[in-house]
Each structure stands twice: as C-alpha cells, then as structure tokens.
Amino acid sequence: MSATSATAHAHVEHHELGFLRTYVFSTDHKMIGRQFLFLGLLMMILGGALALVVRWQLAWPETPVPGLGLILRETGGILEPSTYNMAFTMHATIMIFFVVMPILAGGFGNFLIPLMIGARDMAFPFLNMLSFWVAVVAGILMLAGFFVEGGHAAAGWTSYAPLAAVPEYTGVNWGQNLWCISLFILGVSSMMGSINYITTIINMRAPGMKLFRMPLVIWSLFITAVLLLLALPVLTSGVAMLLFDRWLGTSWFRPSGGGEPLLWQHLFWYFGHPEVYILILPAMGIGSEILPVFARKPIFGYHAMAFSMIAIAFLSWIVYGHHMFVSGMNPALGMAFTVTTMIIAVPSAIKTFNWLGTLWGGRIRLTVPMLNALAFVSMFVIGGLSGIFMASTPVDIYIQDTYYIVAHIHYVVFGGSIFGAFAGIYYWFPKMFGRMTSPVLGQLHFWPTFFFFNLTFFPMHILGVGGHMRRIYNPMQYEFLQPLQWWNVLITIGAIGLGIAQIPFVINFFWSLFAGRKAPVNPWNATTLEWTAPSPPPHLNWGPTLPTVYRGPYEYSAPESTDDFLPQTTPPVARAGARRH
Amino acid sequence: MTTALVEPPGVPRPVRGLHIPPPPRDGGDDDEDRGPAPQRPILDNVRLAMIFLISGEIMFFGGLISAFLVLRVSAAAWPPPLQPRLPIAVTGLNTLVLLASSGTMLAAGRALRRGDRAALVRRLLATAALGAVFLLVQGYEWTRLVSFGLTLSSGVYGATFYTLIGAHAAHVVGALVWLAAVLALAARGRFVDGAAGPLRACAMYWHFVVALWPILYVAVYLA
Ligand code: HEM
Ligand SMILES: [Cu+2]
C-alpha cells in the first residue's frame, strides 16, 4: 500500500502538463466543466443583449436603440422588421443551446459527475475534451451567422417550415444555413458528452456508491444525458433535412415539391419537449442538493425524487403534441396529448412537494446559494402552473402564440434553469475555483435579480391574456393592443433592471476568482463526496485511495453524529448500534 | 497499457500511471439496507458506450425513416409517375454482399479469440473489401439514376431516396475508415494480446451499419 502510494506520487509529479494541456486542450473533467461554464456565461452576455434589443423595440417601437447605431449604421439604430425577427430568433437559440445547455449539462455535468460518484475522471477523457471543442466550433459557426449577407436566421428558434425552408420567404440565406449546420454539429458534441456521462455513471462509481446512494443531482444529470442522447439526434436529422431543402433543393418540407411542412413540427417537437426537461432537470438536481444542506435536513422522499425523474424520462416522449394543438390535428389526438401533458406535471409536482417537505421544520440558513435555490423552487412552481393551463386544449387555443407562452417559458427557463444555475455556481464555486464568493455581492445580485425578474415576466401573463401576440414587430400597429402598451414599457424597464442586476454577479465572479477568501475543503458542511476532495480538487481528484461510500447522500441532523451531519464516507458508527430494526 | 479503452471490467483502472489499490473486500458494506458496492460492471465501458452511440444513431435514422414514411404514405402515387424505377435486383444482391461482411466480421472475432493474428487480419480485410464493394455498387447505381433524371431536387421521391440512402452510405464510409484504422493496428500485432477494445467497438458499429441496411432496403426499394 505505502509502496503503491509512493509510486503514485512519483507519477503525479511526472505529469506536469504544459499551459495548453492544462487550460485549453485539457482532458480533465473539472477543467472541461469550467470551460463549458465560461462558454455559457460569455454567450449569456450576447443572448441578454439581444433580449434587450427586442424589449426596446416592443416598448418604444421604431425609435433608435441606444448604442445600436454603432452597428446598424444605415438605420441609425432603429430596428427594421427583419432585424427584429433576427434578434428574437437568435436570443432564444443562443440562450437555449449555448447558455443553459452548456452551463447546466456541460458545466455542472462535467464538473460534478466524477467528483460526486467518486471517480477520477470521465470514462473517456479524450472524447470529453473533443465534445467541448466541437461545441466551440458549433458556437463559432452560430456566431458567424451574424456577419453573412442577409443576416442571421429569422424564423424563430423553432424554425418552422416552410418559412425556414425557403430562403426567399425570410430573405435570409446563409444565416439560416449556418443555424442548421451549427445545431447539427452541436448534436455531435452532445452525443459525445451524453455517452460519456451515462457510461461514467453506470460503470465508474466508487466502492459503495450504489445507484440509490447517488446524490439527486447525479440522477438528474443521468436522466438529462439519456434525454440528450435520444432526443438530439431527432433534431439533428430534422436540421439536416431542412438544410437540404434550403441548399440542395430537396423537398422534405416544401409543398411545391410534394413535401409536408407539418412534418418539421413533428420532428422539432419530438425533440423539443424532451429538450425542455434537458433544460430543467439539472436545475432540479441542483436544488435538491442545496435545499437539504441549508435546511440541515435529509431530502424528503429521496426515492420519490429519483423515480419521478425516471418517470419524466419516459413521459417526455408522448406529450410533444401539446405544442401543436392548433396545427389542425385530430381533436381526439389533441385530447390524448392534453391528458399525457397533465400526467407529466405530476412528477414535477411530486418534486415540488418534496422540496417543501425538505424545508418544513428545517434550520434554514439563507445563504446566497440557498436564496437562489428557493427562488428556483418558487418560480418553477409559477411556470409549471401556467403550463397546466396551456396543456388544456380549449384554453390553449386562445392563449397559444401570445405573451402568456412567453411568460411560461421564462418562468421555467429563467426562473427554473437560470436561478438553478446561479444557485449551483454560488454553491460549488468554492470547489470549482478554491475561493469563496462574497456574500454581500451575492445578496446584491440576488435580490434585484429576483425583483426585476418578476417585474419583467409576470406582466407578460396579463399581456398574453389580453391577446398580445408573440413575435410581433410593433404592437402599436394593433388598435386593441394600444391600451396595453404601458405594460410593455414597464416590462422593458424591468428587463433593463434585470440586465443591470447582473453586474454584481460579474464583479463577484471575477473578484472572488482572484481575491476571494481561500475555500476550506467543506465550507457548507455537506455530506457528498466532492467535499472530501481538496478545493479545488487536483488532477485525478483524490490522493492514492478513492473514497469509499457507506451511506446515502443526505444524512443531516443525524442522531448518530457528533456534528449534525454524516458524510457519505463515514463508516457505520458501531455495527450493533447501527442496526435499528 | 496504451489506452484506457481496454481495461477488463471491474478492475480498478490505472489512470495515467496512478495505481489504485483495490477497494476493501466488503465494499463498504455494513447491514442489509446498506448493501454491497456496485457489482462488477456487466459490460465494460467500451461496449456500454457503443450501445449508447448506436441508440443515438437509431434515433437519428428513426427521424429520417419516419419522415420518409409520412411522405411516402401520403403521396398519391409511389413512385410518382415519370420517375425512374429503383434497381431492386442489383441492390438486393448488394444487400447480400453487405450481410456477408457482417459474417466475415464475426469470423474475425473468432480469430481474435483464438489469438490467430493472421486470420484476424485476413478476415478484417475481407470485411473491408465487402464494404467497399457495397459502396462502389451503390455509387455506380447512383450515377445511373442521376443520368436517368432522378436527382435530389426532383420532388419528394428523389429527395427522400438520396437523403436516406446517402445518410447510410455516409455511415458505411465512416465505418470503413474506422475499420481501416483498426486493420492497420491489427496488422501491426495489436489486439491479439487481449487489449481489443477499439476492435470490439469497431465491430459493433459495423454490425449496426449492416443491420440498418435491410431495413432501408425494404422501406425505400421494396415497399
Ligand atoms: C409542469 C410541466 C409543464 C407543462 C404542463 C408545460 C406545458 C406547455 C405547453 C402546453 C406548451 C405549449 C403552449 C403553446 O405553444 O400553446 C408549453 C410551451 C413551452 N414550454 Fe412548457 N410545460 C411544462 C414545463 C416546462 C419546462 C420545465 C420547461 C423548460 C425548462 C418548459 C418550456 C417550454 C417552452 C420553451 C415552451 C415554448 C416553446 C415555443 O413555442 O417556443 N415547459 N409548455
Ligand atoms: Cu412541451
């Protein structure tokens, strides 16, 4: 034993890697996780700027957007309808594919999976590195679309055919082509990543880490990977057909050649609904880690939590028609989709009640990660509930394609996924970068974000019920919307506030990165394995011996313990004493 | 140990030279509800990963094939009038060629298990040759169809035909490149010593690409 550890140390010292292999082409899962996190945060700046451009146009139509005159010289910063279409299309595309997915699935997936199951790295470290750099290529191609003749894709993030299938309809040629190519390549990256995640979780767990001892965030990333693996290829096939229609003159979706535009919607939403769970499941997992730690209570209903995620993995495939209620589908089929959609809300509800059960009677500490996790739970509830309304066909026929949908999307994706991401960043920052973040700046980030988030997105419900359509260039062109215009102004003010509220986050992030207090090994007194490795963990995570797991991940306020928690690596106290039944 | 892909299942893997002592015998076990360590993996990493890769690929082709079937079923006449007929007989024979390549691949697996390097290389070579023949015949038939006026842009018939069959052909090309790399390694004496992960992965992929073909043949040429 001592001999092996001696050779081990010798080996570790031999492995001084150069700058390029450590920071750029690293095969270390932690570095790849950080790279995905940075990719997502960088793209978020662009996605946010596009959102503000859209909001300016809706509040003060056809007035110059401040600062945009530098880019749109000919119009002096005034948006034309085509630029407006491009802005909302690319806002959603970037936020979904290049912000939420890289941060949650890419960043946290890579960083947490090996650390929390007690592995030294992913099953295929090289493939892992490849998956990041292929994603970067996809990102560059997506950005290139802004600079080509005719502008970027402008047919909505859903790129419905035939609008997106015929260049003449939007006047966009290579923008939409690059959109297709980029998502095709992103599909390849996601395939490499998800295969790696699944294999790692199945085969590489530390001794004692049974499936039902895995932290819930690992369960959530596991299910996310399964959905990524099976759903993204369907989109990949769809964008290939769309690209061929545009570029090579095929007619999959073009009626003129005998194609069927509705086919695109089926392919897109068959991917699209699992996709929304890809966006939310990791955030649910993050919430499930953070709530027990700061309530000092075991998670309520661990098995119910895991099984409800498994149920989501199955149900995701049979609800997609709820995006197509008004596409002329058979009413009986619409009814079936209404029912399945109502059913898929049940697992989410189970999770919500379990989070509340976890908080109930806990010794709650309102740290910054906890505040964000609480915001995640409460905002997700609002988004989930609006989903139920839309799931009902008779209701949806009125509110489809209105701002009600936009409100729903943002309560689940911003309120759910982004608050979840913030919670995760604040919670694992000490482990990722070895430094604590500033709680003061954290509070200064959280409260304005929470306030402006609601100011921005809650009124959208009201606009939606008032009939305000999605994706319209100038609401003032519609007489019935003019009395509602002050809501649009209010929303835009909220959105600007939301943007400004991110400044403390950026300051906090970079200040803490270089000057934050050095993080101890286990700053939050948490039980899971990543908190047994140094902060930040070295290459290969632990010294010569891997941790051995003796218990579940949520033993807080445990009577057997002298502290109030039992890390997963704590051996049973005494054999006789441990036998309780 | 040159690659991490070839570890036998269950044995702690030496990560880049770091030797991990075996886990405690009881695997951290104490009482009934705190059961044993994860069992030895049923499948090693490579095989498991290949199964997932193939499931993803099935979803990709599932998207293409179901889109094709929707268009096919809703068309008034299929094949549409005045379009060339597909070469059913030649392609049928070609199907047998491709299926035979799966046979030689299986035989290569047997040679591997016997540790017979010469036979292994021979049979891999035969597999690659059969795959190449399949591609050449397909390519020849394509040029003939194009000369008869069936192109990507001649309506749904041409579009679906070339997209589906082309997607499969691209996969055969990919599998062939992979096989060529594996073949080169096998010729230099790799794999027979038991560290055959990359070869097994390639073989699984090959069988997948072969098995996919009859489905496409029936759907596109016969039905
Ligand atoms: C409680 C479960 C949920 C239910 C019952 C539900 C229901 C629905 C329905 C019926 C629609 C279609 C509305 C329409 O277009 O008329 C929809 C749209 C949408 N949902 Fe949900 N949803 C749920 C959860 C989520 C989650 C967790 C996310 C993402 C994290 C999400 C993201 C979206 C998005 C992005 C759209 C709009 C897609 C578009 O048309 O652009 N939903 N939802
Ligand atoms: Cu949906």
Side-chain angles (χ1 to χ4, degrees), chain A residues 273 276 322-323:
Chain A
H273 192 84
V276 308
H322 64 218
H323 296 274

Side-chain angles (χ1 to χ4, degrees), chain A residues 75-291:
Chain A
T75 63
I78 297 175
L79 285 190
E80 287 169 87
S82 58
T83 337
Y84 173 79
N85 290 349
M86 176 181 107
F88 73 69
T89 300
M90 292 316 298
H91 159 69
T93 302
I94 287 180
M95 286 299 195
I96 288 172
F97 292 104
F98 290 98
V99 176
V100 176
M101 283 168 73
I103 293 181
L104 289 181
F108 288 112
N110 268 305
F111 190 80
L112 297 179
I113 289 173
L115 274 172
M116 293 182 90
I117 64 173
R120 296 198 180 274
D121 207 319
M122 288 285 179
F124 307 105
F126 183 77
L127 194 67
N128 206 17
M129 176 192 82
L130 220 55
S131 109
F132 173 72
W133 286 105
V134 171
V136 170
V137 171
I140 291 173
L141 288 174
M142 193 55 97
L143 294 180
F146 285 104
F147 301 100
V148 297
E149 186 81 41
H152 215 317
W157 82 281
T158 49
S159 284
Y160 274 9
L163 184 61
V166 181
E168 288 73 39
Y169 291 171
T170 51
V172 175
N173 189 13
W174 268 94
Q176 186 78 47
N177 289 359
L178 282 167
W179 187 91
C180 294
I181 296 170
S182 166
L183 290 189
F184 189 98
I185 294 174
L186 196 67
V188 176
S189 154
S190 133
M191 183 98 118
M192 298 194 261
S194 52
I195 290 173
N196 223 337
Y197 289 9
I198 301 173
T199 309
T200 306
I201 292 175
I202 292 180
N203 265 5
M204 313 270 291
R205 282 167 287 135
M209 181 60 87
K210 294 189 293 179
L211 279 180
F212 284 98
R213 277 179 186 168
M214 290 198 313
L216 287 169
V217 72
I218 300 302
W219 267 106
S220 77
L221 289 163
F222 181 59
I223 304 291
T224 303
V226 172
L227 292 178
L228 276 172
L229 176 73
L230 300 179
L232 267 201
V234 180
L235 177 73
T236 310
S237 74
V239 294
M241 292 179 235
L242 189 63
L243 182 67
F244 286 1
D245 272 13
R246 301 176 53 85
W247 195 18
L248 305 176
T250 59
S251 40
W252 286 95
F253 309 124
R254 292 192 310 173
S256 56
E260 172 60 72
L262 210 55
L263 191 56
W264 167 262
Q265 291 191 30
H266 282 281
L267 289 169
F268 187 85
W269 289 118
Y270 192 75
F271 142 81
H273 192 84
E275 168 70 9
V276 308
Y277 282 97
I278 291 168
L279 300 176
I280 198 70
L281 279 170
M284 291 174 156
I286 291 171
S288 308
E289 294 309 307
I290 294 175
L291 295 178

Side-chain angles (χ1 to χ4, degrees), chain B residues 47 104-121 123-124 182 186 189-201 203:
Chain B
R47 270 188 246 209
T104 52
M105 187 56 112
L106 284 174
R110 279 196 300 276
L112 175 71
R113 248 162 286 138
R114 281 202 318 270
D116 184 346
R117 175 172 148 197
L120 173 67
V121 173
R123 288 166 185 178
L124 288 178
V182 164
R190 285 276 300 278
F191 308 134
V192 276
D193 58 4
L199 174 57
R200 272 206 309 271

Side-chain angles (χ1 to χ4, degrees), chain B residues 8-45:
Chain B
V11 175
R13 88 184 241 254
V15 183
R16 271 168 250 143
L18 187 64
H19 294 279
I20 306 156
R25 272 269 160 263
D26 68 348
D29 214 1
D30 51 329
D31 63 11
E32 309 81 67
D33 69 325
R34 299 187 163 163
Q39 291 99 17
R40 286 170 169 278
I42 301 169
L43 285 174
D44 58 273
N45 288 349

